[in-house]
């Protein structure tokens, strides 16, 4: 018999299971039966915690945002150091939770999570882009970066590096090497 969990714990378990299944099978093939099996409950029990499959995907998106926030580096201190920690944290979280890229970059997201899910993913991306941009602006104001540096282009380079590190499943240590290369280029 399955242990009775609080609704909050069970919802988190279901969202985590959804991310795991999405990582293994993709959004187009993830089912409530697979989630139930992963969590160790019946399919019917899932719908005591969520009204629909779409709601589960939305909870998985919310879980992605939680994972990005858990242990995230603080917004104090040297801006380039904060940016380095942000990049390392983001890459680590994605590597530890394989369903994130398949959820965030899926063509099936709008089908699985509707406009609300698509908007939530866009908001997560905007929040990351704003954080990157803020760190670069602060570094430029503190004269750690050249005044003529195009901050929009620099932010795209950082975002692109994060995406490349995430999507290529770069080997351990690659993030530090990539960041060192980016930082040298930014400081020139």
């Amino acid at each position: 018999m399955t242990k009775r969990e609080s609704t909050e714990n069970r919802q988190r378990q279901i969202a985590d299971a959804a991310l795991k299944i999405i990582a293994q099978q993709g959004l187009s093939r993830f089912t409530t039966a697979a989630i139930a099996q992963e969590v160790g409950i019946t399919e019917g029990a899932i719908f005591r915690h969520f009204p629909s499959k779409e709601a589960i995907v939305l909870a998985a998106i919310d879980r992605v945002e939680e994972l990005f926030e858990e242990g995230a580096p603080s917004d104090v201190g040297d801006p380039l150091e904060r940016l380095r920690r942000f990049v390392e944290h983001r890459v680590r979280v994605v590597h530890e939770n394989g369903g994130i890229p398949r959820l965030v970059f899926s063509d099936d997201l709008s089908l699985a999570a509707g406009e609300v899910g698509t908007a939530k993913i866009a908001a997560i991306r905007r929040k990351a882009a704003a954080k990157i941009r803020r760190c670069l602006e602060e570094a430029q104001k503190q004269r750690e970066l050249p005044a003529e540096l195009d901050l929009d282009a620099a932010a795209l380079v950082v975002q692109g590096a994060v995406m490349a590190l995430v999507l290529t499943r770069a080997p351990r240590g690659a993030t530090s090497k990539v960041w060192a290369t980016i930082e040298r280029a930014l400081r020139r």
Side-chain angles (χ1 to χ4, degrees), residues 52-164:
S52 66
K53 192 172 167 183
E54 181 179 311
I56 296 168
V57 176
L58 292 173
I61 293 169
D62 290 342
R63 185 69 178 126
V64 166
E65 191 165 22
E66 282 177 27
L67 291 167
F68 284 150
E69 294 299 321
E70 289 173 3
S74 72
D75 284 338
V76 295
D78 178 73
L80 289 180
E81 177 60 21
R82 287 192 340 251
L83 186 54
R84 179 193 63 78
R85 289 191 321 261
F86 170 79
V87 168
E88 288 176 349
H89 178 264
R90 186 61 53 112
V91 171
R92 186 179 63 256
V93 167
V94 172
H95 284 179
E96 291 172 356
N97 298 277
I100 293 175
R102 287 192 88 170
L103 180 64
V104 172
F105 301 115
S106 174
D107 292 335
D108 298 321
L109 178 63
S110 62
L111 298 173
E115 290 179 23
V116 172
T118 303
K120 283 183 173 206
I121 292 294
I124 291 170
R125 288 179 181 158
R126 280 192 307 275
K127 187 175 180 180
K131 184 174 196 93
I132 291 167
R133 173 70 189 216
R134 240 183 352 268
C135 287
L136 292 170
E137 286 174 352
E138 287 177 37
Q140 195 174 51
K141 284 178 186 169
Q142 293 176 14
R143 297 192 174 148
E144 291 183 54
L145 299 177
E148 68 276 2
L149 179 69
D150 182 330
L151 294 180
D152 291 328
L156 283 174
V157 168
V158 174
Q159 288 175 292
V162 170
M163 285 183 66

Side-chain angles (χ1 to χ4, degrees), residues 14-26 38 97-100:
I14 292 168
D16 286 340
L19 281 174
K20 182 177 179 181
I21 292 162
I22 290 165
Q24 295 168 348
Q25 301 172 26
E38 181 68 31
N97 298 277
I100 293 175

Side-chain angles (χ1 to χ4, degrees), residues 11 13 91:
Q11 286 175 331
Q13 289 173 349
V91 171

